[in-house]
Amino acid sequence: GNMRPFDQMNLGSGTKGFTATAIMRLVDQGKVKLSDAAQVHIDPVLESTWNTSMVHIFGDLAAQVTIRDLIFMKSGIQDFDQPGYDYELLEGTPKKVHSPLQPLQYVGAMKGTFGCSTGNCTWVFTPGTQVMYSSTNFVLAGFVLAHHSPAGHDTWQTMDLFELLGLDHTDYAHTVFPAVGDIHKVGLTAP
């Protein structure tokens, strides 16, 4: 059918560029180093929200993953974007809001060795040794942003991308849409 002004859709990989840019902004601000162990910036959110950690979810190799590994697709952590899992998220429960922890747990529970040089399908390779597309990297990068989000912006729904990137509505000419208004004012999750 035809798209309507208030239709909602999964942005998926379209957010990776924004996420990587926001991470690099944190690097520029001195809050994050590309060489930092990712768990330093991710575990505070995982622990405070779900009482878990990267090592608990993914195993000991998680301690070796850096921020660089995440945004350069070099973590070695398997991609959650698998046909069966996609169906569950997109077709099986299309209107359900899924926790960002859910895809991490899915990957952490992967068994078998097909296509995995580490002998465990949670890990396709040792962190930093190869490159492989994995959306899981950017779910984890999102936790880095959540950890460093401004006060009062501690949930996925309230993080303001413009504020996080240090932008305002004058930085981009095309942020006002007739159907929803100024994205800077209504947010990226407006109906």
Side-chain angles (χ1 to χ4, degrees):
N2 294 329
M3 291 289 297
R4 295 179 310 251
F6 293 102
D7 284 349
Q8 295 180 3
M9 65 195 69
N10 184 349
L11 292 176
S13 292
T15 64
K16 286 180 176 71
F18 290 108
T19 303
T21 300
I23 294 283
M24 292 307 296
R25 181 133 176 109
L26 292 173
V27 170
D28 286 347
Q29 294 169 354
K31 296 177 181 178
V32 172
K33 292 181 183 164
L34 291 176
S35 60
D36 285 351
Q39 68 182 10
V40 169
H41 303 278
I42 295 170
D43 282 356
V45 179
L46 290 175
E47 289 168 355
S48 68
T49 309
W50 294 286
N51 196 31
T52 193
S53 67
M54 283 184 65
V55 168
H56 183 258
I57 295 169
F58 301 117
D60 292 339
L61 279 178
Q64 296 178 31
V65 175
T66 66
I67 298 296
R68 177 182 287 109
D69 293 336
L70 294 178
I71 65 172
F72 287 26
M73 299 284 190
K74 296 178 76 171
S75 75
I77 301 172
Q78 182 65 263
D79 192 355
F80 70 82
D81 193 4
Q82 307 286 327
Y85 190 69
D86 276 353
Y87 178 80
E88 178 187 335
L89 288 181
L90 302 175
E91 301 293 331
T93 56
K95 298 211 181 272
K96 180 180 177 188
V97 175
H98 296 273
S99 161
L101 180 64
Q102 188 177 354
L104 304 184
Q105 291 173 320
Y106 174 77
V107 171
M110 286 183 164
K111 302 295 180 224
T113 58
F114 178 76
C116 307
S117 63
T118 61
N120 174 341
C121 274
T122 296
W123 293 92
V124 181
F125 52 84
T126 303
T129 62
Q130 298 177 44
V131 175
M132 182 195 85
Y133 188 91
S134 174
S135 294
T136 308
N137 290 314
F138 279 84
V139 172
L140 290 166
F143 281 103
V144 174
L145 299 181
H147 178 61
H148 291 282
S149 64
H153 294 263
D154 58 353
T155 69
W156 304 100
Q157 290 82 16
T158 61
M159 284 185 3
D160 182 334
L161 185 62
F162 285 94
E163 184 176 349
L164 194 59
L165 293 174
L167 306 173
D168 66 34
H169 69 284
T170 62
D171 290 314
Y172 290 96
H174 302 293
T175 61
V176 179
F177 300 91
V180 294
D182 185 343
I183 294 298
H184 180 70
K185 292 179 183 170
V186 299
L188 295 174
T189 57

